[in-house]
Amino acid sequence: MDINYLQGSGPCLRYQAKLKSKAQKISNYFWKANKNQFEGNNKPDLSYTDLVLDTQGSVSPSKIKTFKSKMSRPKKLRTYIPEDRLDISPSELLKTDKNILLVGKPGIGKTALTHEMLKLWAERDNKELDYMFYFDMRATPHIRKTKSLEDLLFIVFSEPDEGKEEVLQDIKKNSGNVTLIFDGITDLSSSVVKRLVEKDLLPDAKVIITCRPDDEEDFLSGDFLRVEVKGFSEQTIKKYLSATLGEEQEKVLSNLELLTLCYVPMYALMVALGFSSETPEDSPQPCTVTEIYINIVRRCLQTISKKTKTKDLNSFINNKSEEILSLAEFAFKATVEKTVNLTELPCEDSCVLSFLKTSYQSGPH
């Protein structure tokens, strides 16, 4: 970094460099975690794949329902895949001065988009001193207990190696050079986050929020640019499947049910994982979301139990059915409460409990 054209003290510049290094690591870890789900030596080199981003609002659910009901099933299925549009790109989102609300269903690519912005910020050649902070609201529940801006930035995210007070004062004085990403936010129960979103703290900072449609009314205001993340277009689905499956992609592209599932990046990864794994020739590939999830659960249980044969795996599941169902019920309640933090687990079986770690790592954010 050439400090000759950057204005700011040494501690501030070095803190910016530290933040960029961490942003790069966060982004790399995200894609590596997805890549490592594939078995063998032919793991795809995954990175950000273009998403359809809509800044023009959305059609009301009632209109969609009436419109689709007149279609044949094949045409109806294809309406789920969004059309290519050039509304805005991650780099343009990074450049805009507006606060941004990224809205979309689970698994649609909101987190992937924020990681791409992290990567772009870490790699760009800044001609000004600026700071970017990323908070995964699902993985850092202790944010709710954070009492001050300093604790949020320096304890929860990253602490300066030197000149902490000097850096903090620069952030407060030049808040227009600060970008804050709150990924997977569901409420404003954190007083510090609430004050940042409502501009009581760092009034000129750029705030980027990702949330599901059910939660967006709590955050959307005239100061936010609403961007709906719609997933993969058909062209992007083909690009993604080509990278993950190669010639095997034709098995997915020729199946309309599977193809239309893949507009959701999370399901595209699940489908790619299913086809990349060795399966008996007489075993049909999943064609519904439910079947995909069942395959993933079986695969995770197979990993922890080390039962490679179908007969042995079925026997293991039958023997552990009570513990698995108890854990499933507990996980369902946590899902309803919009949390992935499972405490006071009802199951004490270490083998079944290890399924949690395996299954959490198997699913993309």
Side-chain angles (χ1 to χ4, degrees):
M1 187 184 301
D2 185 357
I3 62 174
N4 292 325
Y5 62 74
L6 280 174
Q7 295 183 354
S9 68
C12 294
L13 295 176
R14 283 185 279 276
Y15 186 55
Q16 181 195 38
K18 185 176 183 178
L19 291 181
K20 287 200 168 194
S21 176
K22 179 158 186 175
Q24 189 73 61
K25 288 178 181 177
I26 291 173
S27 179
N28 290 342
Y29 181 82
F30 175 79
W31 295 114
K32 185 178 180 180
N34 283 273
K35 175 182 178 179
N36 287 342
Q37 302 308 314
F38 292 85
E39 300 174 351
N41 299 321
N42 297 320
K43 296 181 179 181
D45 186 15
L46 296 178
S47 60
Y48 178 77
T49 306
D50 290 338
L51 293 160
V52 178
L53 306 177
D54 185 4
T55 60
Q56 306 302 316
S58 58
V59 183
S60 68
S62 59
K63 291 184 179 179
I64 294 175
K65 185 176 181 180
T66 302
F67 180 63
K68 288 183 179 180
S69 63
K70 300 177 181 179
M71 293 182 175
S72 63
R73 177 170 171 76
K75 289 184 178 180
K76 189 184 297 185
L77 285 173
R78 284 195 172 276
T79 62
Y80 289 107
I81 302 177
E83 296 181 1
D84 279 313
R85 55 190 311 156
L86 302 175
D87 272 17
I88 201 163
S89 67
S91 60
E92 290 170 329
L93 287 174
L94 194 60
K95 292 175 184 177
T96 181
D97 293 330
K98 296 181 178 179
N99 299 311
I100 301 171
L101 182 66
L102 301 175
V103 184
K105 63 192 294 185
I108 204 68
K110 303 184 295 297
T111 294
L113 179 56
T114 61
H115 281 77
E116 177 66 5
M117 285 191 276
L118 270 175
K119 176 177 176 290
L120 292 172
W121 176 76
E123 293 177 346
R124 75 181 183 185
D125 185 18
N126 294 66
K127 293 189 177 181
E128 63 178 9
L129 179 64
D130 63 351
Y131 310 91
M132 178 176 277
F133 300 88
Y134 171 84
F135 301 97
D136 184 342
M137 304 300 286
R138 296 151 299 198
T140 50
H142 53 286
I143 286 180
R144 296 184 179 185
K145 301 178 182 179
T146 306
K147 301 299 183 182
S148 69
L149 176 66
E150 180 180 351
D151 288 349
L152 179 68
L153 302 184
F154 295 166
I155 295 180
V156 176
F157 192 70
S158 182
E159 184 177 11
D161 295 326
E162 58 181 314
K164 182 190 297 185
E165 185 60 32
E166 186 176 348
V167 173
L168 182 62
Q169 290 307 314
D170 184 69
I171 288 173
K172 290 180 177 179
K173 182 179 178 181
N174 303 292
S175 62
N177 296 331
V178 178
T179 300
L180 301 151
I181 300 176
F182 298 108
D183 185 20
I185 196 168
T186 58
D187 56 52
L188 293 176
S189 56
S190 164
S191 60
V192 178
V193 174
K194 186 176 189 294
R195 293 181 67 192
L196 285 166
V197 172
E198 295 179 350
K199 301 300 182 179
D200 290 335
L201 288 174
L202 305 183
D204 297 320
K206 176 177 177 178
V207 176
I208 300 175
I209 289 174
T210 78
C211 71
R212 299 178 181 181
D214 291 344
D215 300 316
E216 69 172 298
E217 290 184 3
D218 295 333
F219 312 110
L220 189 60
S221 69
D223 296 329
F224 276 83
L225 169 65
R226 182 187 186 276
V227 180
E228 184 176 356
V229 183
K230 292 192 168 184
F232 291 156
S233 66
E234 186 164 352
Q235 181 180 354
T236 308
I237 292 173
K238 293 177 180 178
K239 179 181 177 181
Y240 182 86
L241 293 177
S242 176
T244 55
L245 293 178
E247 295 181 359
E248 292 292 309
Q249 66 175 305
E250 291 302 324
K251 295 179 180 179
V252 180
L253 298 178
S254 61
N255 185 315
L256 186 59
E257 283 80 6
L258 284 176
L259 175 64
T260 52
L261 275 179
C262 288
Y263 87 93
V264 179
M266 180 175 69
Y267 297 152
L269 174 60
M270 291 178 176
V271 169
L273 285 172
F275 275 87
S276 66
S277 303
E278 292 185 5
T279 56
E281 293 182 1
D282 59 348
S283 176
Q285 289 295 340
C287 293
T288 67
V289 174
T290 300
E291 291 173 344
I292 289 173
Y293 275 113
I294 289 174
N295 274 17
I296 287 178
V297 170
R298 289 182 63 85
R299 178 177 174 178
C300 292
L301 290 172
Q302 183 180 52
T303 299
I304 65 170
S305 66
K306 299 180 180 179
K307 307 292 185 183
T308 56
K309 295 182 179 180
T310 301
K311 181 179 179 180
D312 293 337
L313 178 60
N314 289 340
S315 177
F316 172 81
I317 293 174
N318 286 333
N319 291 335
K320 301 289 185 179
S321 60
E322 186 175 340
E323 291 88 348
I324 293 172
L325 287 173
S326 176
L327 190 62
E329 182 180 4
F330 196 76
F332 175 77
K333 291 178 180 177
T335 302
V336 172
E337 296 173 1
K338 300 182 179 179
T339 178
V340 295
N341 301 293
L342 305 182
T343 58
E344 299 178 3
L345 293 170
C347 175
E348 296 181 358
D349 189 294
S350 59
C351 186
V352 174
L353 284 178
S354 63
F355 165 69
L356 279 179
K357 182 177 180 180
T358 308
S359 60
Y360 180 75
Q361 292 175 340
S362 296
H365 295 283

